[in-house]
mmCIF file of all heavy atoms in Angstrom:
data_model
loop_
_atom_site.group_PDB
_atom_site.id
_atom_site.type_symbol
_atom_site.label_atom_id
_atom_site.label_comp_id
_atom_site.label_asym_id
_atom_site.label_seq_id
_atom_site.Cartn_x
_atom_site.Cartn_y
_atom_site.Cartn_z
ATOM 1 N N ALA A 1 15.968 -12.197 4.338
ATOM 2 C CA ALA A 1 15.954 -10.797 3.820
ATOM 3 C C ALA A 1 14.564 -10.162 3.950
ATOM 4 O O ALA A 1 13.966 -9.560 3.117
ATOM 5 C CB ALA A 1 16.406 -10.832 2.366
ATOM 6 N N SER A 2 14.045 -10.322 5.146
ATOM 7 C CA SER A 2 12.596 -9.946 5.538
ATOM 8 C C SER A 2 12.509 -8.399 5.510
ATOM 9 O O SER A 2 13.385 -7.754 6.055
ATOM 10 C CB SER A 2 12.180 -10.461 6.821
ATOM 11 O OG SER A 2 12.060 -11.829 6.802
ATOM 12 N N LEU A 3 11.488 -7.930 4.951
ATOM 13 C CA LEU A 3 11.104 -6.504 4.983
ATOM 14 C C LEU A 3 9.777 -6.351 5.594
ATOM 15 O O LEU A 3 8.842 -7.163 5.395
ATOM 16 C CB LEU A 3 11.038 -5.876 3.530
ATOM 17 C CG LEU A 3 12.305 -6.049 2.669
ATOM 18 C CD1 LEU A 3 12.030 -5.435 1.326
ATOM 19 C CD2 LEU A 3 13.505 -5.353 3.341
ATOM 20 N N THR A 4 9.563 -5.337 6.446
ATOM 21 C CA THR A 4 8.340 -5.101 7.132
ATOM 22 C C THR A 4 7.914 -3.627 6.959
ATOM 23 O O THR A 4 8.739 -2.677 7.090
ATOM 24 C CB THR A 4 8.515 -5.302 8.659
ATOM 25 O OG1 THR A 4 8.953 -6.607 8.856
ATOM 26 C CG2 THR A 4 7.207 -5.077 9.421
ATOM 27 N N SER A 5 6.632 -3.471 6.568
ATOM 28 C CA SER A 5 6.154 -2.137 6.152
ATOM 29 C C SER A 5 4.745 -1.962 6.657
ATOM 30 O O SER A 5 4.141 -2.735 7.257
ATOM 31 C CB SER A 5 6.271 -1.887 4.614
ATOM 32 O OG SER A 5 6.149 -0.556 4.273
ATOM 33 N N MET A 6 4.142 -0.812 6.109
ATOM 34 C CA MET A 6 2.750 -0.536 6.622
ATOM 35 C C MET A 6 1.944 0.020 5.334
ATOM 36 O O MET A 6 2.352 0.816 4.504
ATOM 37 C CB MET A 6 2.795 0.626 7.586
ATOM 38 C CG MET A 6 1.355 1.106 8.122
ATOM 39 S SD MET A 6 0.523 2.302 7.135
ATOM 40 C CE MET A 6 1.591 3.715 7.268
ATOM 41 N N PHE A 7 0.756 -0.535 5.142
ATOM 42 C CA PHE A 7 -0.142 -0.146 4.176
ATOM 43 C C PHE A 7 -1.579 -0.030 4.866
ATOM 44 O O PHE A 7 -1.977 -1.027 5.272
ATOM 45 C CB PHE A 7 -0.214 -0.972 2.939
ATOM 46 C CG PHE A 7 -1.178 -0.474 1.912
ATOM 47 C CD1 PHE A 7 -0.783 0.281 0.808
ATOM 48 C CD2 PHE A 7 -2.526 -0.750 1.954
ATOM 49 C CE1 PHE A 7 -1.681 0.788 -0.095
ATOM 50 C CE2 PHE A 7 -3.424 -0.347 0.929
ATOM 51 C CZ PHE A 7 -3.022 0.433 -0.071
ATOM 52 N N MET A 8 -2.091 1.131 5.009
ATOM 53 C CA MET A 8 -3.398 1.273 5.579
ATOM 54 C C MET A 8 -4.527 1.392 4.556
ATOM 55 O O MET A 8 -5.426 0.685 4.479
ATOM 56 C CB MET A 8 -3.510 2.481 6.568
ATOM 57 C CG MET A 8 -4.739 2.431 7.413
ATOM 58 S SD MET A 8 -4.730 3.758 8.543
ATOM 59 C CE MET A 8 -6.490 3.670 9.214
ATOM 60 N N PHE A 9 -4.333 2.360 3.616
ATOM 61 C CA PHE A 9 -5.249 2.543 2.458
ATOM 62 C C PHE A 9 -4.725 3.272 1.343
ATOM 63 O O PHE A 9 -3.666 4.056 1.546
ATOM 64 C CB PHE A 9 -6.647 3.106 2.949
ATOM 65 C CG PHE A 9 -6.546 4.591 3.495
ATOM 66 C CD1 PHE A 9 -6.587 5.636 2.630
ATOM 67 C CD2 PHE A 9 -6.377 4.803 4.850
ATOM 68 C CE1 PHE A 9 -6.509 6.932 3.018
ATOM 69 C CE2 PHE A 9 -6.249 6.142 5.281
ATOM 70 C CZ PHE A 9 -6.313 7.222 4.356
ATOM 71 N N GLY A 10 -5.322 3.164 0.217
ATOM 72 C CA GLY A 10 -4.889 3.886 -0.947
ATOM 73 C C GLY A 10 -6.098 3.877 -2.006
ATOM 74 O O GLY A 10 -7.171 3.363 -1.777
ATOM 75 N N PRO A 11 -5.793 4.352 -3.197
ATOM 76 C CA PRO A 11 -6.841 4.450 -4.193
ATOM 77 C C PRO A 11 -7.441 3.077 -4.620
ATOM 78 O O PRO A 11 -8.537 2.999 -5.141
ATOM 79 C CB PRO A 11 -6.208 5.128 -5.375
ATOM 80 C CG PRO A 11 -4.950 5.770 -4.801
ATOM 81 C CD PRO A 11 -4.550 5.004 -3.675
ATOM 82 N N ASN A 12 -6.734 1.954 -4.298
ATOM 83 C CA ASN A 12 -7.239 0.701 -4.731
ATOM 84 C C ASN A 12 -7.960 -0.023 -3.545
ATOM 85 O O ASN A 12 -8.438 -1.097 -3.612
ATOM 86 C CB ASN A 12 -6.061 -0.187 -5.083
ATOM 87 C CG ASN A 12 -5.018 -0.429 -3.974
ATOM 88 O OD1 ASN A 12 -4.565 0.590 -3.418
ATOM 89 N ND2 ASN A 12 -4.706 -1.698 -3.724
ATOM 90 N N ASP A 13 -7.869 0.664 -2.297
ATOM 91 C CA ASP A 13 -8.407 -0.008 -1.133
ATOM 92 C C ASP A 13 -8.845 1.063 -0.133
ATOM 93 O O ASP A 13 -8.025 1.459 0.778
ATOM 94 C CB ASP A 13 -7.320 -0.958 -0.568
ATOM 95 C CG ASP A 13 -7.834 -1.766 0.613
ATOM 96 O OD1 ASP A 13 -9.023 -1.696 0.973
ATOM 97 O OD2 ASP A 13 -7.084 -2.596 1.117
ATOM 98 N N ARG A 14 -10.075 1.452 -0.213
ATOM 99 C CA ARG A 14 -10.528 2.555 0.702
ATOM 100 C C ARG A 14 -11.863 2.190 1.325
ATOM 101 O O ARG A 14 -12.690 3.014 1.733
ATOM 102 C CB ARG A 14 -10.787 3.850 -0.081
ATOM 103 C CG ARG A 14 -9.533 4.658 -0.418
ATOM 104 C CD ARG A 14 -9.786 6.041 -0.955
ATOM 105 N NE ARG A 14 -10.424 6.814 0.099
ATOM 106 C CZ ARG A 14 -9.740 7.648 0.933
ATOM 107 N NH1 ARG A 14 -8.448 7.711 0.793
ATOM 108 N NH2 ARG A 14 -10.402 8.304 1.826
ATOM 109 N N ASP A 15 -12.038 0.829 1.482
ATOM 110 C CA ASP A 15 -13.318 0.321 2.052
ATOM 111 C C ASP A 15 -13.347 0.850 3.601
ATOM 112 O O ASP A 15 -12.522 0.721 4.332
ATOM 113 C CB ASP A 15 -13.345 -1.198 2.101
ATOM 114 C CG ASP A 15 -13.505 -1.736 0.750
ATOM 115 O OD1 ASP A 15 -13.867 -0.940 -0.153
ATOM 116 O OD2 ASP A 15 -13.451 -2.975 0.519
ATOM 117 N N ASN A 16 -14.539 1.492 3.826
ATOM 118 C CA ASN A 16 -14.859 2.005 5.258
ATOM 119 C C ASN A 16 -13.798 3.041 5.747
ATOM 120 O O ASN A 16 -13.591 3.134 6.903
ATOM 121 C CB ASN A 16 -14.944 0.833 6.163
ATOM 122 C CG ASN A 16 -15.929 -0.235 5.824
ATOM 123 O OD1 ASN A 16 -17.061 0.131 5.544
ATOM 124 N ND2 ASN A 16 -15.559 -1.479 5.853
ATOM 125 N N ILE A 17 -13.187 3.655 4.806
ATOM 126 C CA ILE A 17 -12.166 4.708 5.192
ATOM 127 C C ILE A 17 -12.849 6.176 5.167
ATOM 128 O O ILE A 17 -13.523 6.553 4.230
ATOM 129 C CB ILE A 17 -11.005 4.709 4.194
ATOM 130 C CG1 ILE A 17 -10.207 3.422 4.361
ATOM 131 C CG2 ILE A 17 -10.110 5.906 4.469
ATOM 132 C CD1 ILE A 17 -9.612 3.227 5.706
ATOM 133 N N ASP A 18 -12.689 6.843 6.270
ATOM 134 C CA ASP A 18 -13.182 8.183 6.498
ATOM 135 C C ASP A 18 -12.008 8.973 6.883
ATOM 136 O O ASP A 18 -11.647 9.148 8.110
ATOM 137 C CB ASP A 18 -14.332 8.259 7.519
ATOM 138 C CG ASP A 18 -14.928 9.672 7.562
ATOM 139 O OD1 ASP A 18 -14.609 10.553 6.703
ATOM 140 O OD2 ASP A 18 -15.572 9.887 8.511
ATOM 141 N N ASP A 19 -11.298 9.518 5.955
ATOM 142 C CA ASP A 19 -9.954 10.122 6.222
ATOM 143 C C ASP A 19 -9.737 11.216 5.178
ATOM 144 O O ASP A 19 -10.018 11.073 4.056
ATOM 145 C CB ASP A 19 -8.831 9.156 6.195
ATOM 146 C CG ASP A 19 -7.555 9.622 6.902
ATOM 147 O OD1 ASP A 19 -7.015 10.602 6.377
ATOM 148 O OD2 ASP A 19 -7.150 8.953 7.863
ATOM 149 N N PHE A 20 -9.136 12.358 5.597
ATOM 150 C CA PHE A 20 -8.945 13.523 4.686
ATOM 151 C C PHE A 20 -7.874 13.200 3.673
ATOM 152 O O PHE A 20 -7.714 13.830 2.677
ATOM 153 C CB PHE A 20 -8.629 14.792 5.452
ATOM 154 C CG PHE A 20 -7.291 14.854 6.055
ATOM 155 C CD1 PHE A 20 -6.167 15.371 5.335
ATOM 156 C CD2 PHE A 20 -6.972 14.327 7.283
ATOM 157 C CE1 PHE A 20 -4.863 15.534 5.830
ATOM 158 C CE2 PHE A 20 -5.680 14.406 7.835
ATOM 159 C CZ PHE A 20 -4.685 14.924 7.156
ATOM 160 N N ARG A 21 -7.020 12.172 4.013
ATOM 161 C CA ARG A 21 -5.857 11.869 3.192
ATOM 162 C C ARG A 21 -6.222 10.881 2.066
ATOM 163 O O ARG A 21 -6.942 9.958 2.359
ATOM 164 C CB ARG A 21 -4.706 11.429 4.008
ATOM 165 C CG ARG A 21 -4.237 12.358 5.084
ATOM 166 C CD ARG A 21 -3.281 11.717 6.097
ATOM 167 N NE ARG A 21 -4.025 10.696 6.948
ATOM 168 C CZ ARG A 21 -3.504 9.933 7.899
ATOM 169 N NH1 ARG A 21 -2.253 10.214 8.147
ATOM 170 N NH2 ARG A 21 -4.206 9.125 8.576
ATOM 171 N N PRO A 22 -5.647 11.089 0.835
ATOM 172 C CA PRO A 22 -6.029 10.089 -0.218
ATOM 173 C C PRO A 22 -5.269 8.735 -0.146
ATOM 174 O O PRO A 22 -5.716 7.745 -0.636
ATOM 175 C CB PRO A 22 -5.620 10.776 -1.442
ATOM 176 C CG PRO A 22 -4.608 11.840 -1.046
ATOM 177 C CD PRO A 22 -4.931 12.291 0.372
ATOM 178 N N MET A 23 -4.209 8.734 0.701
ATOM 179 C CA MET A 23 -3.324 7.498 0.774
ATOM 180 C C MET A 23 -2.565 7.495 2.050
ATOM 181 O O MET A 23 -2.073 8.573 2.390
ATOM 182 C CB MET A 23 -2.466 7.505 -0.463
ATOM 183 C CG MET A 23 -1.808 6.158 -0.744
ATOM 184 S SD MET A 23 -0.957 6.246 -2.361
ATOM 185 C CE MET A 23 -0.438 4.544 -2.569
ATOM 186 N N VAL A 24 -2.414 6.376 2.731
ATOM 187 C CA VAL A 24 -1.546 6.277 3.902
ATOM 188 C C VAL A 24 -0.826 4.922 3.879
ATOM 189 O O VAL A 24 -1.366 3.847 3.963
ATOM 190 C CB VAL A 24 -2.388 6.349 5.174
ATOM 191 C CG1 VAL A 24 -1.580 6.004 6.423
ATOM 192 C CG2 VAL A 24 -3.033 7.668 5.335
ATOM 193 N N CYS A 25 0.511 5.013 3.565
ATOM 194 C CA CYS A 25 1.319 3.826 3.504
ATOM 195 C C CYS A 25 2.777 4.216 3.434
ATOM 196 O O CYS A 25 3.109 5.284 2.984
ATOM 197 C CB CYS A 25 0.965 2.949 2.251
ATOM 198 S SG CYS A 25 1.344 3.878 0.630
ATOM 199 N N ASP A 26 3.588 3.282 3.936
ATOM 200 C CA ASP A 26 5.051 3.308 3.764
ATOM 201 C C ASP A 26 5.476 2.840 2.405
ATOM 202 O O ASP A 26 6.509 3.182 1.847
ATOM 203 C CB ASP A 26 5.784 2.636 4.807
ATOM 204 C CG ASP A 26 5.769 3.299 6.224
ATOM 205 O OD1 ASP A 26 5.483 4.430 6.268
ATOM 206 O OD2 ASP A 26 5.810 2.486 7.180
ATOM 207 N N SER A 27 4.696 1.943 1.919
ATOM 208 C CA SER A 27 5.090 1.152 0.673
ATOM 209 C C SER A 27 3.714 1.095 -0.133
ATOM 210 O O SER A 27 2.739 0.671 0.468
ATOM 211 C CB SER A 27 5.777 -0.098 0.852
ATOM 212 O OG SER A 27 6.848 -0.032 1.680
ATOM 213 N N SER A 28 3.759 1.232 -1.351
ATOM 214 C CA SER A 28 2.541 0.950 -2.204
ATOM 215 C C SER A 28 2.438 -0.249 -2.900
ATOM 216 O O SER A 28 1.390 -0.729 -3.374
ATOM 217 C CB SER A 28 2.410 2.178 -3.244
ATOM 218 O OG SER A 28 3.501 2.188 -4.090
ATOM 219 N N GLY A 29 3.605 -1.015 -3.059
ATOM 220 C CA GLY A 29 3.495 -2.257 -3.788
ATOM 221 C C GLY A 29 4.857 -3.137 -3.532
ATOM 222 O O GLY A 29 5.816 -2.675 -3.136
ATOM 223 N N LEU A 30 4.626 -4.362 -3.907
ATOM 224 C CA LEU A 30 5.793 -5.345 -3.914
ATOM 225 C C LEU A 30 6.243 -5.487 -5.428
ATOM 226 O O LEU A 30 5.471 -5.825 -6.281
ATOM 227 C CB LEU A 30 5.336 -6.697 -3.375
ATOM 228 C CG LEU A 30 6.328 -7.846 -3.531
ATOM 229 C CD1 LEU A 30 7.473 -7.661 -2.718
ATOM 230 C CD2 LEU A 30 5.624 -9.161 -3.211
ATOM 231 N N ALA A 31 7.580 -5.197 -5.697
ATOM 232 C CA ALA A 31 8.139 -5.491 -6.964
ATOM 233 C C ALA A 31 9.085 -6.719 -6.860
ATOM 234 O O ALA A 31 9.704 -6.913 -5.830
ATOM 235 C CB ALA A 31 8.904 -4.265 -7.398
ATOM 236 N N ILE A 32 9.012 -7.504 -7.866
ATOM 237 C CA ILE A 32 9.834 -8.738 -7.999
ATOM 238 C C ILE A 32 10.569 -8.892 -9.358
ATOM 239 O O ILE A 32 9.814 -8.640 -10.379
ATOM 240 C CB ILE A 32 8.964 -9.998 -7.739
ATOM 241 C CG1 ILE A 32 8.260 -9.937 -6.405
ATOM 242 C CG2 ILE A 32 9.727 -11.285 -7.796
ATOM 243 C CD1 ILE A 32 7.194 -10.985 -6.106
ATOM 244 N N LEU A 33 11.744 -9.259 -9.265
ATOM 245 C CA LEU A 33 12.435 -9.617 -10.497
ATOM 246 C C LEU A 33 12.883 -11.031 -10.468
ATOM 247 O O LEU A 33 13.678 -11.445 -9.610
ATOM 248 C CB LEU A 33 13.763 -8.723 -10.722
ATOM 249 C CG LEU A 33 14.643 -9.100 -11.835
ATOM 250 C CD1 LEU A 33 13.864 -8.915 -13.258
ATOM 251 C CD2 LEU A 33 15.804 -8.104 -11.927
ATOM 252 N N THR A 34 12.175 -11.836 -11.214
ATOM 253 C CA THR A 34 12.343 -13.329 -11.126
ATOM 254 C C THR A 34 13.602 -13.829 -11.838
ATOM 255 O O THR A 34 14.295 -13.084 -12.382
ATOM 256 C CB THR A 34 11.149 -14.116 -11.786
ATOM 257 O OG1 THR A 34 11.209 -13.892 -13.144
ATOM 258 C CG2 THR A 34 9.766 -13.500 -11.258
ATOM 259 N N GLY A 35 13.959 -15.111 -11.566
ATOM 260 C CA GLY A 35 15.119 -15.649 -12.217
ATOM 261 C C GLY A 35 15.069 -15.697 -13.683
ATOM 262 O O GLY A 35 16.080 -15.671 -14.375
ATOM 263 N N THR A 36 13.938 -15.719 -14.246
ATOM 264 C CA THR A 36 13.708 -15.693 -15.723
ATOM 265 C C THR A 36 13.747 -14.202 -16.259
ATOM 266 O O THR A 36 13.630 -14.053 -17.589
ATOM 267 C CB THR A 36 12.461 -16.408 -16.209
ATOM 268 O OG1 THR A 36 11.268 -15.734 -15.644
ATOM 269 C CG2 THR A 36 12.405 -17.862 -15.594
ATOM 270 N N GLY A 37 13.835 -13.265 -15.406
ATOM 271 C CA GLY A 37 13.877 -11.857 -15.923
ATOM 272 C C GLY A 37 12.475 -11.226 -15.980
ATOM 273 O O GLY A 37 12.377 -10.041 -16.361
ATOM 274 N N GLU A 38 11.458 -11.920 -15.530
ATOM 275 C CA GLU A 38 10.076 -11.329 -15.512
ATOM 276 C C GLU A 38 9.996 -10.356 -14.327
ATOM 277 O O GLU A 38 10.500 -10.651 -13.280
ATOM 278 C CB GLU A 38 9.039 -12.379 -15.480
ATOM 279 C CG GLU A 38 7.653 -11.775 -15.412
ATOM 280 C CD GLU A 38 6.499 -12.765 -15.334
ATOM 281 O OE1 GLU A 38 6.808 -13.924 -14.787
ATOM 282 O OE2 GLU A 38 5.376 -12.501 -15.707
#
């Protein structure tokens, strides 16, 4: 069930970024629902 996406930069990761946009990504995070419900 592989997923493939793009994350270039965002408010948590802008090292050496010189870009007029505040954020560039297809996905901002990974969400997980574990077997225990966490």
Side-chain angles (χ1 to χ4, degrees):
S2 296
L3 305 178
T4 301
S5 194
M6 181 275 295
F7 181 94
M8 187 176 175
F9 64 86
N12 63 308
D13 187 357
R14 288 190 62 93
D15 289 350
N16 302 313
I17 294 297
D18 184 12
D19 197 297
F20 74 93
R21 300 167 294 182
M23 194 172 188
V24 171
C25 64
D26 286 338
S27 307
S28 58
L30 169 67
I32 301 172
L33 178 55
T34 71
T36 62
E38 183 180 21

